[in-house]
């Protein structure tokens, strides 16, 4: 295992519970010592050695051999470099996001497109060309990205059944895209509301979150990105296309931490979420694209993240922004001290005949603690995706480089769902125009509520 932050600590007990191996077969490599004692209590080997562009291969050579599995839960270690290393040596691989080496996401000399998740994904897609038959490497397999792509497939199947739409079981990307088009899905949000709290609230000069602060801040400072749908009529004035690759996504010339959108979950109701860049916003859009015979886009949904983190994390982001994006010196990941709350994480499919359909996981902190030690609701949702993807990879060791959208969603969900709390599917008549205040004039498109300008908070 590479990295032993909040997600690594949360994952270790479930790996030992579900994977047929002895603790002596696990080695953890992390940038710093394990001060929690979790690794020592589990009896696994622990190596405190930061990986850099100059030393990662020599460090890995000493610990990871052909036939082994590298579970990458680190930040600021380039995923593509690890992929290449594992591919050449016959090592299986899984990560939860595509990471660059330190500095790339914050380098002002690079144009926004080079600092984007779109560019990172395109580099991985370029690497995997011609590598479909080789050691399995599952990229971006956590909760979101990861389970979110599988939730979309299950939501489409549920909606088709609810609408009595006859269809054959989808067998390829085009089949899924055809189903989404037949259901008239125009927009998909990865709609998440984290309500977990603890008695010691955020203090001045402190960043508080329920998962990796470095990981969250890193993606929050990348350009805001989204998959861009074929129904969209007005291109945002601060947006641009990347000019290379699949062309499924666009980016805004502003960070995700400074971009908010209107969204909805069943328990929270309407809310404002951050349009943080995430890999699934691009991969889902790309995989749900239909083209005409001459290559023109016939159908494609708009897809993006709408994230409302825990309340203390929102306050932390507000302070972070006010200090011109200078990160607070004190940082605190809350887990054992959480006293209440849940993570309501799902996908919101919009624009169809029944307006809105949310499908996803409702996991409370109490349920998470019963299911697995060293977890919050947020971390356990991530670990459920990791576990499902890891088991799938072990059962399919020669699948090459794959995204969550490529793999058998039912097989992964079978492993993940027992750790996701209540799985719910809920219809509603919500639109981003419903209930808007009449006190102030707003620039909206009342003729089509599903236009991005109606979701964006300005």
């Amino acid at each position: 295992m590479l990295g032993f932050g909040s997600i690594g600590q949360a994952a270790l007990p479930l790996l030992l519970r579900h994977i047929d191996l002895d603790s002596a077969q696990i080695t953890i490599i992390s940038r710093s010592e394990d001060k929690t004692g979790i690794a020592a209590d589990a009896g696994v080997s622990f190596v405190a050695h930061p990986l850099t562009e100059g030393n990662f291969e020599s460090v890995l050579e000493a610990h990871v051999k052909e036939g082994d599995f590298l579970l990458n839960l680190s930040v600021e270690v380039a995923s593509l470099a690890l992929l290449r290393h594992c591919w050449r040596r016959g090592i299986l691989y899984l990560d939860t996001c595509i990471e660059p080496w330190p500095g790339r996401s914050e380098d002002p000399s690079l144009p926004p497109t080079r600092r984007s998740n779109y560019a990172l994904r395109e580099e991985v897609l370029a690497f995997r060309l011609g590598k479909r038959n080789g050691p399995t490497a599952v990229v971006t397999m956590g909760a979101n990205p990861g389970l979110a792509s599988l939730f979309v497939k299950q939501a489409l199947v549920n909606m088709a059944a609810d609408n009595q739409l006859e269809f054959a079981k989808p067998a390829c990307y085009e089949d899924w895209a055809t189903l989404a088009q037949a259901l008239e899905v125009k927009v998909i949000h990865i709609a998440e509301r984290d309500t977990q709290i603890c008695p010691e609230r955020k203090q001045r000069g402190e960043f508080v979150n329920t998962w990796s602060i470095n990981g969250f801040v890193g993606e929050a400072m990348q350009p805001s990105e989204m998959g861009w749908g074929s129904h969209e009529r007005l291109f945002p004035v601060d947006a641009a296309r990347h000019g290379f690759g699949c062309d499924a996504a666009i980016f805004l010339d502003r960070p995700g931490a400074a971009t908010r959108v209107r969204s909805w979950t069943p328990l929270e109701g309407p809310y404002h979420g951050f349009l943080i860049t995430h890999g699934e916003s691009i991969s889902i859009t790309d995989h749900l694209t239909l083209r005409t015979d001459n290559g023109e886009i016939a159908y494609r949904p708009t897809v993006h993240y709408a994230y409302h983190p825990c309340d203390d994390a929102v306050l932390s982001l507000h302070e972070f922004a006010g200090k011109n994006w200078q990160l607070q010196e004190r940082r605190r990941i809350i887990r054992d001290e959480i006293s209440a709350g849940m993570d309501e994480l799902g996908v919101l499919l919009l624009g169809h005949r029944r307006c809105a359909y949310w499908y996803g996981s409702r996991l409370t902190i109490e349920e998470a603690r019963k299911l697995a030690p060293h977890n919050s609701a947020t971390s356990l949702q991530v670990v459920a995706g990791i576990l499902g993807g890891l088991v799938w990879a072990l059962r399919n060791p020669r699948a090459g480089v794959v995204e969550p959208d490529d793999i058998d969603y039912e097989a992964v969900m079978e492993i993940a769902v027992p750790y996701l709390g209540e799985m719910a599917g809920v219809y509603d008549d919500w639109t981003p125009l419903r209930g808007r205040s009449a006190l102030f004039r707003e620039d909206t498109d009342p003729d089509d509520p599903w236009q991005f300008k109606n979701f964006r908070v300005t």
Side-chain angles (χ1 to χ4, degrees), residues 353-366:
R353 297 175 190 174
R354 298 180 68 173
C355 214
Y357 178 69
W358 186 93
Y359 175 80
S361 160
R362 297 166 170 170
L363 181 62
T364 68
I365 183 61
E366 293 83 6

Side-chain angles (χ1 to χ4, degrees), residues 311-380:
D311 292 349
D312 277 350
V314 174
L315 291 174
S316 300
L317 280 178
H318 181 69
E319 184 181 47
F320 176 45
K323 302 301 181 184
N324 294 316
W325 310 118
Q326 296 299 310
L327 186 59
Q328 295 91 323
E329 289 188 7
R330 288 183 290 116
R331 298 150 204 182
R332 178 162 53 100
I333 299 174
I334 57 174
R335 183 185 67 199
D336 297 339
E337 62 270 45
I338 294 172
S339 57
M342 69 159 50
D343 205 319
E344 188 181 19
L345 167 64
V347 292
L348 181 64
L349 282 64
L350 299 158
H352 45 86
R353 297 175 190 174
R354 298 180 68 173
C355 214
Y357 178 69
W358 186 93
Y359 175 80
S361 160
R362 297 166 170 170
L363 181 62
T364 68
I365 183 61
E366 293 83 6
E367 291 171 310
R369 286 174 175 153
K370 289 178 182 178
L371 290 167
H374 315 309
N375 270 277
S376 66
T378 305
S379 67
L380 189 53

Side-chain angles (χ1 to χ4, degrees), residues 104-108 110-117 119 221-223:
R104 174 168 167 174
S105 298
E106 303 86 34
D107 187 348
L110 294 177
T113 185
R114 291 286 300 142
R115 293 184 271 116
S116 67
N117 270 324
M221 288 309 296
Q222 288 179 274

Side-chain angles (χ1 to χ4, degrees), residues 1-57:
M1 181 191 297
L2 186 57
F4 202 60
S6 60
I7 301 303
Q9 295 164 22
L12 182 58
L14 291 190
L15 296 181
L16 291 169
R17 182 185 300 176
H18 286 276
I19 309 301
D20 184 19
L21 45 75
D22 187 82
S23 58
Q25 296 175 272
I26 299 177
T27 298
I28 297 170
I29 303 173
S30 183
R31 70 173 76 184
S32 57
E33 296 288 349
D34 173 30
K35 297 178 181 179
T36 68
I38 293 172
D41 290 345
V44 303
S45 299
F46 195 96
V47 178
H49 198 139
L51 295 195
T52 67
E53 196 167 359
N55 74 5
F56 79 95
E57 290 198 295

Side-chain angles (χ1 to χ4, degrees), residues 22-271:
D22 187 82
S23 58
Q25 296 175 272
I26 299 177
T27 298
I28 297 170
I29 303 173
S30 183
R31 70 173 76 184
S32 57
E33 296 288 349
D34 173 30
K35 297 178 181 179
T36 68
I38 293 172
D41 290 345
V44 303
S45 299
F46 195 96
V47 178
H49 198 139
L51 295 195
T52 67
E53 196 167 359
N55 74 5
F56 79 95
E57 290 198 295
S58 61
V59 174
L60 292 179
E61 287 280 9
H63 299 284
V64 192
K65 309 298 182 184
E66 181 177 356
D68 288 346
F69 200 116
L70 180 60
L71 175 57
N72 176 21
L73 305 180
S74 66
V75 295
E76 296 189 331
V77 179
S79 303
L80 184 55
L82 298 176
L83 273 173
R84 290 188 174 119
H85 179 91
C86 291
W87 181 269
R88 290 195 298 266
R89 291 159 178 80
I91 298 166
L92 304 185
Y93 174 88
L94 184 144
D95 64 32
T96 59
C97 64
I98 303 174
E99 284 278 333
W101 289 115
R104 174 168 167 174
S105 298
E106 303 86 34
D107 187 348
S109 69
L110 294 177
T113 185
R114 291 286 300 142
R115 293 184 271 116
S116 67
N117 270 324
Y118 180 95
L120 293 170
R121 177 178 182 259
E122 286 294 331
E123 290 165 11
V124 169
L125 294 182
F127 169 75
R128 83 169 181 177
L129 289 174
K131 296 183 179 67
R132 290 291 189 169
N133 181 25
T136 297
V138 186
V139 296
T140 67
M141 188 66 235
N144 55 315
L147 290 178
S149 295
L150 315 187
F151 286 178
V152 168
K153 291 182 176 180
Q154 187 62 62
L156 291 172
V157 170
N158 293 351
M159 289 174 60
D162 293 342
N163 286 277
Q164 299 181 327
L165 177 67
E166 294 185 7
F167 68 100
K169 183 178 180 179
C172 61
Y173 312 140
E174 292 81 6
D175 290 349
W176 286 109
T178 299
L179 179 58
Q181 183 188 43
L183 291 167
E184 302 179 74
V185 174
K186 297 180 177 66
V187 177
I188 300 174
H189 288 182
I190 294 81
E192 179 177 6
R193 175 61 166 114
D194 182 351
T195 63
Q196 294 168 101
I197 59 171
C198 70
E200 183 185 351
R201 303 308 299 271
K202 175 199 156 8
Q203 305 298 307
R204 289 182 62 194
E206 180 183 46
F207 200 112
V208 177
N209 197 21
T210 54
W211 59 284
S212 171
I213 290 169
N214 289 339
F216 182 29
V217 169
E219 66 186 21
M221 288 309 296
Q222 288 179 274
S224 189
E225 298 180 77
M226 73 196 86
W228 192 244
S230 53
H231 73 287
E232 300 284 1
R233 296 195 294 238
L234 182 65
F235 199 75
V237 295
D238 57 347
R241 295 188 180 276
H242 293 275
F244 62 94
C246 68
D247 198 37
I250 65 171
F251 65 92
L252 305 180
D253 192 17
R254 57 191 295 113
T259 309
R260 291 182 301 158
V261 289
R262 294 171 176 85
S263 193
W264 181 91
T265 65
L267 297 181
E268 176 67 19
Y271 69 94

